Amino acid sequence: MKEKIAFRDAQKECIDGQALRKYQLERLKETVGHALRTPFYQHRLNKVGIRSSDDIRSLKDLERIPFTTKDDLRESYPRGLLATDMKKVVRVHTSSGTTGIPTVIYHTQEDLDNWTELVVRSIVACGVTSDDVFQNMMTYGMFTGGLGLHYGAERLGALVIPSGSGNTKRQLQLMKDFRTTVVHATPSYMFHFSSKIGELGFTVEELNLKKAFLGAEPYSENTRKKIEEFFKIDVYNSYGLSEMNGPGVAFECIYKTGMHLWEDAYILEMIDPETKKNLGDDTQGELVLTTLCRQATPLLRYRTRDLTTVVKGNCPCGRTHRRISRIAGRTDDMLIISGVNVFPSQIEQVIMKIPEVGNNYQIYLAKEGALDKLTVKVELYSKLFSGDLQDLERLKRKIQDELRASIVITPMVELHEPGSLPEFELKAKRVVDERIKI
Amino acid sequence: MKITQISVFLENKKGRLFEATKALGDAGVDIKALTIAENEDFGVLRMVVDKPQDALAAFKKNGFVASLTDIVAVEVDDTPGGLARILAVFNKNDLNVEYMYAFVEKTADKAIVVFRFDDPDKAIVILTKNNVKIVGKKEIQTL
Ligand SMILES: [Zn+2]
């Protein structure tokens, strides 16, 4: 490992199990106390016999608490599950879902400070220091990814370039002129860069990039490798969601073997999304989180809808906070195609392994009579075009066969010219579902 | 004596063929021969042009997927049985043709046909030995 292991606060990050559980219980009691100030949680908690924080005697009592869902948050819009005096609130973040009704999360100054501290801890774990130049190419504003990392990098003392998303040429100019070492962007934006860099008159060699934090959309291990190889950088995976502040919930360290979930700030549970039963480590399930250091919007047993697995064993970095694996999919991203569960990430993984096609793809679903028809649209990679129709037909069959091997369903495969599928700079819209919703 | 063919990938989209040929026209590239191989959702346009490198650059600039391939152009008597005589040479010598198409232009009473062989170098040796006239790059440009 070429990088040194660094900590923001080694004591907190390498806390032993017993001390962590003791601390979690303390914080949980306080969080339940806060939550009881909201009519929503008062009602919910009273129903299960929790009337004050004293009713939480052990961490086991957490299981008595009903889950909080995204719908609960939506239904409480715009007042939200506010547990503090509005006067103490200094910021609000809303996130719009596909249904149009947003969720709202309020923050006090202390909440923001805690959040920022978690971000600092996270990026330090990836080797970022105050010497780094951090170019933040994420959308600012209501999207928590931009602001979250901005404040973290700033508090660490890095030089922050708040470039926001878009304007590829200017981004490259900034990277070159300010010797940017760390970028924060979506994977699709990095792919966009890789395809445009030459055309815009830049080379990877003249830049000074060392690391990238990629997030805001799911991506595969192959995507990471491709971006790492192209830019000759280290790409670190991270996990966050606006309901849990945003970035800084879980982050990889330099060993890149799963993301340490900061257990002194969140209680981690894994459940079976169907039966809602708690699962042990090493079994894929839905991640459920309870905030431990939030005053304005405490959330108890929040169902993230993200599917992941707790990584077994200890991380060589020495951190004791458990790691979660790359998000395998979202319970609400899951497509049911002719009765088979399919995650778009499975399709992405197959496509990324086929060199003759590019990185952009689209999943298109339609009805053909009573049957679901899945079409996967990919773009041909120009450098590997042989000029032969037969080769293209072979390629099409190869993609089809590999997809069938992975998702059981045989899709239609369409080959397109590069750049003809929609490419989005922030979040790529990968799935178009034209089936009639019931 | 091989000549260069340029192939372009075309997805089945209205106007794409027009755009491809327009890209060449704008770059001052003259198309000498062309053929399209296609299935229900995409096709490959193959061409012999006067300036293949310029054509490749023009396609790249306009966002097309294109590549260059070596082919062999042969003079064929423009009389009944002319093509058959050439194909007989191929047969006798086990030359495998992947595809072929004809030029638009002619030289006097000769037609020009291009062939894609799996081994173009071997094909050239055999054809020369059998007195089949192979058309070179220079002659193509002046057609
Ligand atoms: Zn670690």
Side-chain angles (χ1 to χ4, degrees), chain A residues 385 393 396 416-418 420, chain B residues 7 11 16 39 41 65 67:
Chain A
F385 172 58
E393 280 165 351
K396 210 173 118 164
H416 289 265
E417 293 172 32
S420 60
Chain B
S7 309
E11 58 179 86
R16 211 50 191 149
N39 63 20
D41 35 72
V65 176
S67 71

Side-chain angles (χ1 to χ4, degrees), chain A residues 106-205:
Chain A
Y106 294 103
H107 296 276
T108 65
Q109 187 55 52
E110 205 180 316
D111 290 339
L112 291 181
D113 285 344
N114 288 335
W115 173 17
T116 301
E117 201 46 42
L118 289 175
V119 175
V120 180
R121 180 195 283 184
S122 302
I123 62 177
V124 167
C126 301
V128 178
T129 71
S130 57
D131 294 335
D132 277 301
V133 178
F134 174 74
Q135 190 163 327
N136 198 12
M137 306 191 287
M138 279 288 187
T139 306
Y140 277 73
M142 292 303 238
F143 177 62
T144 54
L147 283 171
L149 256 89
H150 174 101
Y151 282 111
E154 210 169 80
R155 184 179 291 181
L156 177 62
L159 171 62
V160 177
I161 307 173
S163 55
S165 66
N167 202 339
T168 311
K169 187 167 185 189
R170 194 190 56 148
Q171 299 278 12
L172 283 163
Q173 195 65 51
L174 288 167
M175 277 182 211
K176 189 181 164 190
D177 295 346
F178 293 96
R179 312 300 297 146
T180 300
T181 53
V182 185
V183 292
H184 179 211
T186 61
S188 13
Y189 199 34
M190 289 308 275
F191 276 134
H192 179 73
F193 269 105
S194 65
S195 66
K196 287 275 177 298
I197 187 164
E199 195 180 307
L200 294 171
F202 295 87
T203 63
V204 170
E205 287 69 30

Side-chain angles (χ1 to χ4, degrees), chain A residues 5 7 125 251-260 262 314-321 323:
Chain A
I5 301 170
F7 295 100
F251 235 88
E252 277 183 339
C253 64
I254 53 173
Y255 290 96
K256 301 181 192 168
T257 53
M259 303 175 278
H260 291 282
W262 305 125
N314 300 322
C315 184
C317 75
R319 286 176 182 82
T320 48
H321 300 248
R323 287 161 294 163

Side-chain angles (χ1 to χ4, degrees), chain A residues 23-296:
Chain A
Y23 180 77
Q24 283 185 325
L25 178 60
E26 240 168 70
R27 301 296 319 167
L28 177 62
K29 285 170 82 104
E30 194 165 318
T31 301
V32 167
H34 274 303
L36 280 166
R37 290 180 205 156
T38 67
F40 170 82
Y41 277 122
Q42 198 178 47
H43 179 73
R44 286 254 174 124
L45 294 173
N46 288 353
K47 271 216 302 220
V48 295
I50 300 171
R51 293 177 190 282
S52 84
S53 57
D54 291 336
D55 292 323
I56 302 293
R57 287 180 201 92
S58 79
L59 285 176
K60 199 84 190 133
D61 284 326
L62 185 64
E63 284 175 34
R64 292 164 61 195
I65 300 173
F67 295 106
T68 307
T69 63
K70 202 175 182 96
D71 284 336
D72 293 330
L73 288 179
R74 286 200 188 106
E75 279 158 25
S76 67
Y77 183 84
R79 171 84 191 168
L81 305 182
L82 182 62
T84 184
D85 190 343
M86 192 58 109
K87 273 191 194 140
K88 283 186 74 188
V89 172
V90 297
R91 197 188 304 157
V92 61
H93 277 285
T94 68
S95 79
S96 53
T98 39
T99 59
I101 306 164
T103 58
V104 53
I105 302 292
Y106 294 103
H107 296 276
T108 65
Q109 187 55 52
E110 205 180 316
D111 290 339
L112 291 181
D113 285 344
N114 288 335
W115 173 17
T116 301
E117 201 46 42
L118 289 175
V119 175
V120 180
R121 180 195 283 184
S122 302
I123 62 177
V124 167
C126 301
V128 178
T129 71
S130 57
D131 294 335
D132 277 301
V133 178
F134 174 74
Q135 190 163 327
N136 198 12
M137 306 191 287
M138 279 288 187
T139 306
Y140 277 73
M142 292 303 238
F143 177 62
T144 54
L147 283 171
L149 256 89
H150 174 101
Y151 282 111
E154 210 169 80
R155 184 179 291 181
L156 177 62
L159 171 62
V160 177
I161 307 173
S163 55
S165 66
N167 202 339
T168 311
K169 187 167 185 189
R170 194 190 56 148
Q171 299 278 12
L172 283 163
Q173 195 65 51
L174 288 167
M175 277 182 211
K176 189 181 164 190
D177 295 346
F178 293 96
R179 312 300 297 146
T180 300
T181 53
V182 185
V183 292
H184 179 211
T186 61
S188 13
Y189 199 34
M190 289 308 275
F191 276 134
H192 179 73
F193 269 105
S194 65
S195 66
K196 287 275 177 298
I197 187 164
E199 195 180 307
L200 294 171
F202 295 87
T203 63
V204 170
E205 287 69 30
E206 69 183 335
L207 303 178
N208 193 31
L209 292 187
K210 305 267 191 282
K211 299 176 204 298
F213 298 128
L214 301 186
E217 59 187 33
Y219 62 104
S220 65
E221 202 52 41
N222 276 301
T223 298
R224 176 197 337 236
K225 285 208 189 93
K226 279 191 177 181
I227 294 173
E228 287 191 327
E229 276 162 24
F230 185 88
F231 292 99
K232 301 177 184 72
I233 56 172
D234 281 302
V235 168
Y236 295 100
N237 197 8
S238 63
Y239 174 73
L241 63 165
S242 60
E243 298 93 313
M244 292 289 136
N245 295 343
V249 176
F251 235 88
E252 277 183 339
C253 64
I254 53 173
Y255 290 96
K256 301 181 192 168
T257 53
M259 303 175 278
H260 291 282
L261 192 139
W262 305 125
E263 295 187 78
D264 54 349
Y266 305 94
I267 294 181
L268 179 169
E269 289 176 276
M270 295 285 280
I271 63 161
D272 179 321
E274 305 276 312
T275 65
K276 303 185 186 68
K277 288 263 184 323
N278 275 72
L279 298 169
D281 289 7
D282 222 25
T283 312
Q284 182 173 298
E286 181 182 336
L287 180 67
V288 171
L289 294 172
T290 298
T291 64
L292 291 178
C293 51
R294 261 199 345 202
Q295 299 172 333

